[in-house]
Amino acid sequence: MRRELAIEFSRVTEAAALASSSWIGRGDKLAADEAAVEAMRLSLNETDIDGTIVIGEGEIDEAPMLYIGERLGTGNGEAVEIAVDPIDGTRMVAMGQPNAVAVMAVADPGVLLKAPDMYMEKLVVAPGAKGKIDLNDTLEENIIRCAEAIGKPLSEFVVMTLAKPRHEAIIARLHDLGVRVHAIPDGDVAASVFVCMPEREADMFYGIGGAPEGVISAAVVRALDGDMQGRLLPRYEVKGDTKEHRIIGADETRRCHEMGLATHAILKLEDMVSNDNIIFSATGITDGDLLHGVRRAKDDILYTETLVIRGKSRTVRRIESAHYLRRKADNLLAIINK
């Protein structure tokens, strides 16, 4: 992919962050998500690419979505495939909590994993522990190997996870092992990036979240030379074994089979992202460990911070931008001001 596309894609996540920022703290995560989706779609359609969404958001939460198979861009540029999460952390936006970001990963056709929008178990480690993880083993065994590879005692090893009821028993096990736990409300993409950044304070991320976030995480983990494994899980194993969840889980399993995948099968990093020629962009919506959120200096000026990573050159850029709303196109301004 042309290197100048990195800047074009930063504009896409900036647009999503700006649009959703109007909904920070307003208690309506669906409205925030809808604004981000609309802005991201608008911005992508103004970009000179022939793009296809290969994994998108929406089906799990019955939310607005950029749907799988949707064609985006002017059609005049090179063919790319796109994994998107217009808001990683919709609940955090609605509640005014930290670490919400707008994210996307773009790659050459055939590079990104194509999977249903379902749940994925994820294990991410820093570059120093590359090659030391195996989801066939217990989490404790993985942590012990990774801590030894990184050269940290268990008492200083930091594991990030999601503060969800499904992880409560895991968090208790981690505390029993003696490691430090950083549990965040949502935002496993940001956590995966944070683990692999050179200035990181965390060494591992473990959690069960959405498959779209998993593919985006895999792209940036590969770009930053970390390591990751995942496996797709049917809904009834994550959200509770009810009749409704069994029906949804059966459909997820069927769709996996149609795509040549299997639930519970271990997906290695190279299975999820097959080469390094990717571009990752993330823009902060609310303040967090990874990025500053959208800030308003004056009524007509908003500031954003965006992280852009090119896998091919392993270049990491932080872009701080001032957006003069009066100069924005009317269609984007209308979304921002809803």
Side-chain angles (χ1 to χ4, degrees):
M1 284 182 291
R2 295 176 287 116
R3 68 178 65 189
E4 57 267 29
L5 281 176
I7 298 299
E8 294 299 319
F9 295 139
S10 73
R11 296 191 181 106
V12 174
T13 56
E14 285 174 353
L18 289 169
S20 60
S21 70
S22 299
W23 294 94
I24 294 173
R26 293 172 64 179
D28 192 339
K29 69 176 188 177
L30 290 181
D33 205 19
E34 183 176 8
V37 166
E38 192 176 348
M40 187 171 273
R41 179 178 282 119
L42 174 67
S43 187
L44 279 169
N45 276 330
E46 294 174 346
T47 305
D48 284 332
I49 55 170
D50 181 7
T52 303
I53 301 292
V54 294
I55 192 162
E57 189 63 76
E59 293 171 349
I60 284 180
D61 299 319
E62 299 180 353
M65 64 186 297
L66 288 155
Y67 61 87
I68 296 170
E70 183 174 358
R71 300 290 295 274
L72 296 165
T74 64
N76 297 324
E78 59 190 288
V80 296
E81 57 184 26
I82 307 166
V84 296
D85 194 351
I87 303 179
D88 181 27
T90 53
R91 185 165 62 91
M92 288 131 74
V93 173
M95 302 305 293
Q97 295 174 332
N99 286 315
V101 294
V103 294
M104 65 185 296
V106 186
D108 295 327
V111 169
L112 301 177
L113 175 74
K114 297 170 182 63
D117 187 357
M118 57 189 297
Y119 284 99
M120 178 187 283
E121 181 184 18
K122 309 159 195 177
L123 180 61
V124 177
V125 289
K130 189 174 182 178
K132 300 297 181 181
I133 56 173
D134 188 345
L135 276 175
N136 283 314
D137 297 332
T138 66
L139 185 56
E140 289 87 345
E141 289 169 332
N142 278 285
I143 289 171
I144 290 168
R145 280 198 304 269
C146 292
E148 183 178 357
I150 293 173
K152 277 189 173 184
L154 289 178
S155 60
E156 295 300 319
F157 194 86
V158 179
V159 180
M160 296 189 75
T161 191
L162 302 178
K164 304 283 189 182
R166 60 180 174 266
H167 294 141
E168 288 176 357
I170 291 166
I171 292 171
R173 284 167 49 195
L174 294 174
H175 286 151
D176 288 343
L177 186 62
V179 301
R180 297 167 59 196
V181 179
H182 184 183
I184 58 177
D186 284 294
D188 47 336
V189 175
S192 298
V193 178
F194 193 65
V195 163
C196 295
M197 290 287 282
E199 67 271 23
R200 67 184 179 273
E201 296 179 5
D203 306 295
M204 176 183 285
F205 170 77
Y206 175 83
I208 298 171
E213 294 91 340
V215 176
I216 297 170
S217 296
V220 71
V221 168
R222 176 151 188 161
L224 292 172
D225 202 33
D227 202 2
M228 177 177 176
Q229 289 189 5
R231 52 186 163 199
L232 299 168
L233 302 176
R235 179 181 286 228
Y236 58 84
E237 293 186 8
V238 179
K239 298 290 285 185
D241 194 357
T242 66
K243 181 179 179 180
E244 180 186 3
H245 292 163
R246 278 278 174 180
I247 293 171
I248 295 172
D251 185 61
E252 291 169 341
T253 301
R254 175 189 60 79
R255 293 172 63 203
C256 281
H257 180 74
E258 290 174 352
M259 293 179 175
L261 301 170
T263 60
H264 304 98
I266 291 178
L267 298 165
K268 295 184 178 179
L269 184 59
E270 56 268 26
D271 297 321
M272 293 183 277
V273 184
S274 61
N275 71 34
D276 294 334
N277 191 24
I278 63 100
I279 295 173
F280 170 87
S281 180
T283 302
I285 303 171
T286 59
D287 284 339
D289 298 317
L290 184 65
L291 290 162
H292 292 300
V294 177
R295 290 161 287 161
R296 185 180 291 270
K298 297 180 179 179
D299 288 343
D300 63 340
I301 304 175
L302 295 177
Y303 290 89
T304 57
E305 184 181 24
T306 300
L307 181 70
V308 181
I309 300 170
R310 287 189 68 229
K312 197 169 185 179
S313 60
R314 196 157 292 156
T315 304
V316 180
R317 290 184 172 89
R318 289 184 181 271
I319 302 172
E320 294 190 2
S321 303
H323 304 268
Y324 289 75
L325 297 184
R326 292 177 185 175
R327 299 294 182 93
K328 292 291 182 186
D330 289 343
N331 45 11
L332 179 58
L333 187 60
I335 300 171
I336 295 171
N337 288 331
K338 274 187 178 179

